[in-house]
Amino acid sequence: MATVALLVGSFHTEHMAIMRAAAEAEAQRLGLDLWGTLEVPGSMEKPLALRWLLERPEVDGAVVLGIIERGETDHGLVMGHTVVQALVQLQLATGKPVGVGILGPGILPSQIASRRVPYAQAAVKAVAHMLNTAHLLAVKTELDR
């Protein structure tokens, strides 16, 4: 059984609780073992925390959840692009899948509620799919030997 960790921001407490519960339920439904949840202040802290999680040998992948709302400036857009780029680079550097369930950047408060559960579930499904793909490739490699 593969083990995944959850990484969530603490800024949008109510929304994060719903997203976290949806991700946990989806992981259980898909047969993934949950390592636990790491909470960080916001999106800019996620890449470093993700690195720490992916460096743990017992963690096979991670799901990152958060919200980057539309602000009055382009700060959220710049931050969102920077954070997602860093998450992808960590995935490539470690060879461990990362499901990104970050709403935004640029999401309006009125758009959040309907997207919380589907985004959290999709992030878990993405990690599960990639873990299954890695397993199939490993089996094929063994059979080819």
Side-chain angles (χ1 to χ4, degrees):
M1 180 181 296
T3 300
V4 296
L6 296 181
L7 176 59
V8 301
S10 63
F11 188 72
H12 296 89
T13 307
E14 179 184 320
H15 296 307
M16 288 297 95
I18 291 167
M19 291 181 79
R20 178 180 175 179
E24 289 171 348
E26 188 67 15
Q28 182 178 19
R29 187 184 77 75
L30 295 172
L32 297 171
D33 186 30
L34 280 174
W35 174 86
T37 302
L38 191 59
E39 190 175 282
V40 296
S43 290
M44 290 301 286
E45 293 77 27
K46 288 177 180 146
L48 180 57
L50 179 63
R51 178 178 161 194
W52 293 337
L53 286 170
L54 295 179
E55 287 176 346
R56 299 185 66 88
E58 70 272 21
V59 172
D60 300 309
V63 175
V64 181
L65 304 174
I67 299 170
I68 303 174
E69 286 186 70
R70 180 176 297 167
E72 294 179 13
T73 68
D74 287 341
H75 171 74
L77 288 173
V78 171
M79 182 176 59
H81 289 254
T82 302
V83 168
V84 171
Q85 182 178 13
L87 300 180
V88 170
Q89 290 304 315
L90 285 165
Q91 177 177 237
L92 294 172
T94 62
K96 293 182 178 183
V98 176
V100 180
I102 297 177
L103 304 179
I107 195 166
L108 297 172
S110 62
Q111 298 170 319
I112 294 172
S114 65
R115 289 169 169 80
R116 296 176 298 197
V117 171
Y119 271 63
Q121 291 171 330
V124 175
K125 287 176 187 172
V127 169
H129 183 90
M130 293 305 292
L131 287 167
N132 287 335
T133 300
H135 176 72
L136 291 172
L137 287 171
V139 169
K140 180 164 177 22
T141 301
E142 281 298 312
L143 292 174
D144 290 345
R145 287 186 184 167

